[in-house]
Amino acid sequence: MAWTIPLRHDAFPAPYNYQLPPTFTVDELDLLWAALTVGRPNRQSVYANGPYSLDEALFRQAMVRANLRLDHSGQNLAHSPAFVALDPTEKGWVNFSLGMIFAKIFAAKFLDVPWLMHFKWYAQNYPVGMPSSGSTPDFVGQNPKTAEYHVLEAKGRVGGYSAKVVRDAKLQAQQPITISGVSPTTRIGTLLYRQKKTDLALACEDPDEDDRPTIALTETLETWREYYRLAWALHNLDDTQRTALKSLTGLTIRLVLPVADLVGELMSIDRAGEWHPTVDEIKSWSASHDEIILRMMVDDPVGRRIFADGLEIRYSPPDRKPISLE
């Protein structure tokens, strides 16, 4: 199923100002892909390798399915009854996660950014004096076709649109930043909120940078390893683990060629080794595979999709039997 998400946007430069529509469409594969690949602030927050990779995949897809009405056949997407029953603190955490997922989908659909990487993955080698996390944006991403960078700060709230929350997101996105010497094309604050009390909607604004000192970030080997760490682990599940994932979730996840081979090289390169040519090949593959080409590569666009980061997701609803509490 697919749902329509109202999109409220302001202050974008050309050509984005006339390319952004009043609504956009998401489906279950979009949501699951974003949940599986959106950045974690650090690898300690959720284990993403070894025996924990299956657990993380289950956790991420369950967070989406438990809190969104994916069984709703109507036009709009809403929170689930399970989400409504949460206490305010739990709702705040879930909406923070959902806000990141929708920022990831927005970046892919409208900025052509397949890899939305957490700011801290870039900033981990920054010298002492890094501003507090509350004053820096969440994500950095690059469009492989244009080499433009984009910076995003993601927010989520249970209630309706809030100008104050958008201002807070804009303030974090306004932090002057360069990535490998390049200034970002956009600095976007996003807010996932409720419209008409139930329907999920997204707001986004692109403010100018402010006059704070510039943070000079550098893309590193670890930046790319962090993005692909979970995808690589899921690609290499053994048959028993792969069967368990499909049985529990209906998902089969792998990396397509040649991306799988290139990611394997990234994971095995010595820290002092030359990794740029491998990343350049991944970017080149992505730049040459737009959404039309990617959809032509599969025979079932509803149940199978290849995304521009090279991740392939196959989905068929699992055969879940009702649980008896007697």
Side-chain angles (χ1 to χ4, degrees), residues 36-38 40 42-44 46-50 52-54 56 60 117 121 124 220-237 253 255 263-264 266-268 271 309 311:
L36 287 166
T37 58
V38 75
R40 299 178 314 280
N42 54 65
R43 79 181 72 169
Q44 285 75 34
V46 182
Y47 294 102
N49 47 50
Y52 299 102
S53 58
L54 179 57
E56 182 175 0
R60 287 178 173 237
M117 303 184 183
W121 295 354
Q124 57 190 333
T220 68
L221 172 60
E222 284 305 309
T223 307
W224 286 89
R225 281 179 169 171
E226 287 288 0
Y227 181 86
Y228 279 109
R229 200 177 300 275
L230 177 59
W232 180 242
L234 295 175
H235 179 80
N236 289 291
L237 291 177
I253 300 165
L255 291 164
V263 171
L266 286 180
M267 295 301 177
S268 61
R271 287 177 181 270
D309 58 357
L311 195 68

Side-chain angles (χ1 to χ4, degrees), residues 256-257 285 289 292-299 304 306:
V256 299
L257 294 174
W285 181 90
H289 289 72
I292 295 175
I293 293 175
L294 291 171
R295 287 182 179 264
M296 290 174 60
M297 292 172 64
V298 301
D299 52 10
R304 176 184 173 216
I306 298 171

Side-chain angles (χ1 to χ4, degrees), residues 1 14 30 54 68 122 164 196 202 268:
M1 287 184 283
D30 289 324
L54 179 57
L68 296 177
Y122 280 91
K164 179 184 181 303
K196 300 178 182 177
L202 189 70
S268 61

Side-chain angles (χ1 to χ4, degrees), residues 136-175:
T136 57
D138 287 325
F139 299 112
V140 176
Q142 187 182 33
N143 179 334
K145 301 172 186 175
T146 64
E148 294 175 332
Y149 284 97
H150 300 271
V151 170
L152 290 90
E153 168 64 23
K155 302 286 187 185
R157 71 188 308 263
V158 178
Y161 175 83
S162 168
K164 179 184 181 303
V165 177
V166 173
R167 283 197 302 270
D168 290 343
K170 287 165 58 178
L171 180 62
Q172 291 178 241
Q174 281 177 293
Q175 167 67 55

